[in-house]
Amino acid sequence: MMKRSLLREHVFILLFMSEFNSIEEMPHQMRLYFNQLEEPADDASEEFIEHRFKSVLDLLPEIDETINSRIEGWTTGRMGKVELALIRLAYYEMRYDEDVPIPVAINEAVELAKKYGVDESASFVNGILAKLV
């Protein structure tokens, strides 16, 4: 099985992709994504990634409602797609995954924001998540 941080990164990428594809297209997009990985995911890793991705999607209305109700001056509709996907995933981990300590969820989201976002992404993600704790 892949390291937890790599599993998280793959889930984030799929969440990001879901912003540009319909829900109906995502199983096909997910298969294409897994097929193009340089280091193929083993079955357990693929299963974890797919399950986590679907779990976050299933809870998106609740996750977005919480974000929108607790963050002044921002809504999920105004956030960048990279930052939004990271915030959604980190909030899911903080709220619904007892195996992930809150500081780890925040730190991992910030690190992914540094990798995939713009210069301000990491501090933005950190600030929003701090308000959601």
Side-chain angles (χ1 to χ4, degrees):
M1 183 119 159
M2 293 177 176
K3 285 184 171 181
R4 189 78 178 213
S5 58
L6 187 55
L7 292 169
R8 181 181 287 108
E9 185 171 357
H10 290 307
V11 174
F12 152 70
I13 291 169
L14 291 172
L15 286 170
F16 178 77
M17 288 172 58
S18 73
E19 289 293 309
F20 303 96
N21 295 279
S22 70
I23 295 302
E24 296 77 27
E25 292 173 318
M26 282 311 296
H28 177 67
Q29 292 298 322
M30 201 176 315
R31 189 63 16 235
L32 290 174
Y33 177 74
F34 285 134
N35 289 340
Q36 62 81 38
L37 292 177
E38 284 182 27
E39 290 186 37
D42 58 87
D43 290 345
S45 296
E46 271 193 36
E47 191 176 304
F48 177 91
I49 293 164
E50 190 171 338
H51 177 73
R52 177 59 49 102
F53 168 72
K54 288 178 178 177
S55 296
V56 175
L57 279 188
D58 288 346
L59 290 166
L60 268 191
E62 184 179 321
I63 291 169
D64 285 357
E65 182 181 325
T66 301
I67 293 168
N68 290 327
S69 69
R70 290 211 207 146
I71 307 301
E72 282 188 38
W74 283 96
T75 63
T76 54
R78 287 188 55 220
M79 293 178 188
K81 303 290 188 213
V82 167
E83 295 80 9
L84 181 57
L86 289 170
I87 290 165
R88 285 171 166 168
L89 178 56
Y91 182 74
Y92 174 89
E93 290 182 337
M94 291 173 4
R95 175 89 165 78
Y96 301 101
D97 188 340
E98 295 174 5
D99 294 336
V100 179
I102 290 173
V104 171
I106 293 172
N107 185 59
E108 291 283 329
V110 168
E111 290 304 313
L112 287 170
K114 290 176 186 175
K115 182 173 180 179
Y116 290 98
V118 296
D119 289 345
E120 306 82 31
S121 296
S123 58
F124 178 78
V125 167
N126 189 49
I128 296 292
L129 292 175
K131 293 178 181 176
L132 294 173
V133 173

